[in-house]
Structure formats: C-alpha cells, structure tokens
Amino acid sequence: MSEAPANLDWFLHDRFGLFVHWGLYSLPARHEWVRNREKISNEDYQKYFDHFDPDLYDPRVWAEEARNAGMKYAVLTSKHHEGFCLWDSALTGYKAPNTPARRDVLRPWVDAFRGAGFKIGFYHSLLDWHHPDFPVDGLHPMRDDLAFREREQDRDITRYTQYLHGQTQELLTQFGKIDIMWFDFSYARQDWGWAKGKGKEAWQSEKLLKMVRTLQPGIIVNDRLDLGTGDVKTPEEYQPRAWMEANGKKVVWEACQTLNGSWGYDRDNMNWRPVVMLVRMLIDTVSKGGNLLLNVGPTARGEFDARAIETLRGIGQWMRLHQRSIYGCSASEFTPPPDCRFTQNGSRLYLHVFSWPFRHIHLDGLAGRVEYAQLLNDGSEVKMIEIDPHQESQNVTIQGKAGTLTLEVPVQKPDVVVPVIELFLKS
Ligand code: GLC
C-alpha cells in the first residue's frame, strides 16, 4: 500500500465539524487538564476509572444534534493526555472495557456518526500521563514530586513511542475508513532544565506519519506532529485576522473552538458563548477560507448537557436557512463593508451583516456586477440602487460614489441571529 496525499475536497466544502472531548476527566468535570492542574497521581485518579459508567450514552443522539446544527464531520478523543482509551486496545488495560462501562465506547460512536453520513476523525494525544514509560516532564502531573521523579528517571521514551505507534495502527485498521487524524500536541521547544519538551524525535513523527498515510490513503493529518503545517493548520481558541499563511503562502486551516473555554465537560464553568457569537465565528472563519471545529464535552453519564444542546440547536436554526452561505463557500475577492463579512461560492456572493444598519448598505466595487439580491432567510428581494457619483448630498439625497452598489434594507432586522443577503453576480 502506498502513501497518498490528503483528500481535502470534502473538507474544504463541508467547513463545519464537531469536536468531542470525552474521557475520565468528564467525572471530576473540572476541565480535561484536571490531572495536570491539580497534580493528581495515578493512584488518586483511579477513582474516576472505577466509576466510568456512561449509562445514558447513545452516540446516535449526539450525531442527531450535530447533524441538526449543520455539522458534516466529527472528531472524537480516542485518548487524551490522561492516557485513558475509549476503545478495546490490545496494548493496555487502561481502557473503557475494563471500567463499569464494560464496553468499547469508540466503535458505537464511529458507527453512529458514519451511519448519519459524517466524515470521521480521531483526536489522539501524543502525551500520556498514565503510561509507565512516558518520561516525566514539566507538564506531567507528578512534575513537582521529586521522589517520584527520582524513582522514575529511567523511563524509556522509545518503549512509549512503540505503544503510541501500535495504538495508532489499531485505530487506523479496526474502524474502517478514517478521514482525519488529529494528533495533539508537540512542545519540543519547552525546557524545564531538569527535563525537555517533546516533539518529532520523541514521537518519531516521520515514521508515524508515513504509517498513517499508508494505512489510510487520503487521510487528513493536522499540524501538531512538529513536522511543519501538516495538511491543516489548527489555530485554537482565537480567530485569525486573515486567511492563515505559512512561509508567505495561504494554507488550509481549521479553527478549533470550545463552547465555554473548556474542551472537557466543566460543570461549574458558566462562560458560555452566545449563539450569535458562535455563528459569527463560523462565518468569519469561512470568510477567511477556513473550517470551524466546534467542541462539545459530554457529561460522565454520556450526554451532551442541556447548555450545549441549546447552543447547537441555536446554531442549527441559523444553518437551516443559511447553510448555502457556508457549504462550498470560501473567501471572496470583494471587500465587505464595516461590520460585515463576505463568503463566496462562484457567482453567489453572501453578505453577512453583523450589525444591522439604517436603510442602506454600500458595497464598494460592486456597481454593475450584481443582477439580483435577496434576503436569504425568506428569499425576499433586496432593492439595489447605484447613486449617481456626481450627486451631491443635499437634504435627503445621498452623496454618490463611483463603483458603489447600494442596497436598500428594511428598518427591521430580519429575525435571525445573523442576516444574510444573497447576491447573484453577473457572469
Ligand atoms: C489544547 C488543550 C487540549 C485540547 C486541545 C484541542 O491543546 O490543551 O486539552 O485537547 O487544545 O485543540
């Protein structure tokens, strides 16, 4: 079997995906880095393993909520930094089948999402705070336990890397076609004096990537193996100011964002982002040629909590009416007016209006280029005028500007979180 480059066509069309962070950290429900933040030992963390029992888990319900929100692909944490594995790996006992759950919880997820027409991906942690051969460094939960560090100083990273490669092989040979491999993360440049960060040497990234591409031809691999940009650059928890570049060249990118600042279920975190902010984030991303991977952290009972469902359904209401201004769209050659974004798909130009203006929207550079305009939510016509550039502003007459197309919009903002005006460009 030969290596094949990533197939990005579907990815660049679908634009919107679901990220799911689920593991033992869903039980303490204090962020997925709880072991690091609270410096919890393996022994003290064992209680979460002994109580992992998601009795309400039905991934078909997750898939339905994601599909309804307009998401087209999904990425689940097969293993996060805590080291707990959701599937029945032959290489460890630290896995879901050995908990009160008594089953592989990854396969039903794959079957449910694939069954609902989603493209499938795995988020797999390169770090492993549970594995006995993973050398302790400055991110490890036991970093400040000098006796532990002393006792464990002879850990052999090559044995851990063998485990990492072995499990990656399991994931890419036992679950059918996998479309995305989302590795996380490399920190080779960090140095704590007593320990160094880990990157491509530690993970043997070139060898790992070669295996991944051979086992799953066309798979998309992200940019966190310490091998440059990968197939997709993954900014996290911020919105880039423009289409992302590497070495001066525009690259494929995907913003990964949370609903409240935590990837894992974080019970007492009330910092939920309003639906309008998330819809604008999706639009802003596509207007800069990117994808959005929006995260949910399910509870320990195996459900999306009510706040996450409410948010997804709010996004879904907007996507039901406006999805063609997202799917198959990318950045536009035209510059939008203030407080607006353009997305474009061939001769269809979508003006996303973030703050509804009074009566007029002036589109510089579009005079003579548009044959028809309508509000996308209800298909109602939007009148277009080209003001004579020689016209002076006097009383009710507006100053004209050469090359500008002016849209006449209703005073009442359409009852959608972000109104969109669909412009049919002349060919
Ligand atoms: C960050 C977080 C990690 C999360 C990842 C997702 O690296 O630290 O917990 O899984 O982002 O992008």
Side-chain angles (χ1 to χ4, degrees), residues 25 51 59 79 93 95 194 214 254 294 311 313 351 363 389:
Y25 44 80
H51 290 88
K79 182 195 85 166
K95 56 187 179 182
W194 59 273
T214 306
E254 175 195 65
L294 189 59
T311 303
R313 290 183 180 174
L351 176 67
L363 305 178

Side-chain angles (χ1 to χ4, degrees), residues 286-304:
V286 176
S287 79
K288 294 165 181 168
N291 280 38
L292 178 66
L293 189 64
L294 189 59
N295 183 78
V296 172
T299 68
R301 308 268 320 256
E303 292 190 310
F304 286 1

Side-chain angles (χ1 to χ4, degrees), residues 108-375:
W109 180 84
V110 171
D111 296 344
F113 276 77
R114 191 175 284 139
F118 283 75
K119 290 282 194 302
I120 301 286
F122 294 139
Y123 163 109
H124 196 71
S125 174
L126 298 165
L127 294 72
D128 194 317
W129 296 327
H130 179 268
H131 198 280
D133 295 310
F134 185 85
V136 180
D137 60 30
L139 296 182
H140 197 279
M142 306 305 284
R143 57 191 178 278
D144 294 343
D145 182 326
L146 300 185
F148 182 91
R149 275 169 41 187
E150 179 73 22
R151 238 185 3 260
E152 300 292 330
Q153 61 185 312
D154 300 327
R155 290 185 168 194
D156 175 2
I157 184 84
T158 61
R159 287 166 54 88
Y160 169 69
T161 306
Q162 220 175 336
Y163 171 76
L164 170 66
H165 289 222
Q167 287 203 317
T168 303
Q169 181 166 22
E170 286 183 335
L171 291 169
L172 298 181
T173 54
Q174 298 176 7
F175 295 91
K177 180 165 176 24
I178 304 301
D179 306 289
I180 298 176
M181 203 60 194
W182 220 100
F183 288 110
D184 190 43
F185 63 102
S186 296
Y187 48 109
R189 274 169 285 288
Q190 289 200 38
D191 188 347
W192 293 275
W194 59 273
K196 290 205 174 336
K198 296 179 174 74
K200 60 184 173 209
E201 274 83 36
W203 323 131
Q204 295 175 26
S205 293
E206 266 111 12
K207 187 167 159 239
L208 181 62
L209 183 58
K210 191 170 171 42
M211 175 183 71
V212 169
R213 291 208 189 288
T214 306
L215 292 175
Q216 292 277 348
I219 195 168
I220 295 172
V221 182
N222 71 336
D223 64 334
R224 299 190 179 196
L225 282 173
D226 193 18
L227 293 174
T229 55
D231 300 320
V232 55
K233 199 169 173 50
T234 56
E236 172 189 323
E237 292 281 83
Y238 75 91
Q239 285 299 109
R241 297 185 63 178
W243 191 316
M244 299 203 82
E245 296 190 354
N247 312 322
K249 270 184 66 246
K250 285 183 175 171
V251 292
V252 173
W253 66 279
E254 175 195 65
C256 50
Q257 300 276 10
T258 64
L259 297 180
N260 65 358
S262 177
W263 303 91
Y265 177 60
D266 190 3
R267 183 192 64 202
D268 303 337
N269 176 332
M270 297 305 160
N271 195 14
W272 290 75
R273 291 148 189 190
V275 168
V276 62
M277 178 184 276
L278 296 164
V279 168
R280 287 178 180 172
M281 206 184 269
L282 174 59
I283 294 165
D284 178 66
T285 301
V286 176
S287 79
K288 294 165 181 168
N291 280 38
L292 178 66
L293 189 64
L294 189 59
N295 183 78
V296 172
T299 68
R301 308 268 320 256
E303 292 190 310
F304 286 1
D305 84 293
R307 297 164 292 181
I309 290 175
E310 190 189 326
T311 303
L312 291 179
R313 290 183 180 174
I315 296 170
Q317 274 172 11
W318 184 84
M319 279 296 275
R320 187 182 70 78
L321 294 169
H322 301 94
Q323 56 186 261
R324 69 172 184 248
S325 71
I326 296 293
Y327 301 145
C329 289
S330 189
S332 170
E333 67 214 78
F334 300 104
T335 304
D339 296 329
C340 294
R341 301 287 188 281
F342 273 138
T343 60
Q344 187 167 352
N345 182 356
S347 65
R348 296 291 178 91
L349 180 60
Y350 298 96
L351 176 67
H352 302 260
V353 186
F354 284 10
S355 63
W356 195 248
F358 175 62
R359 294 189 56 196
H360 299 108
I361 301 177
H362 304 289
L363 305 178
D364 294 340
L366 277 151
R369 310 286 300 271
V370 179
E371 56 101 1
Y372 187 70
Q374 64 183 14
L375 277 170

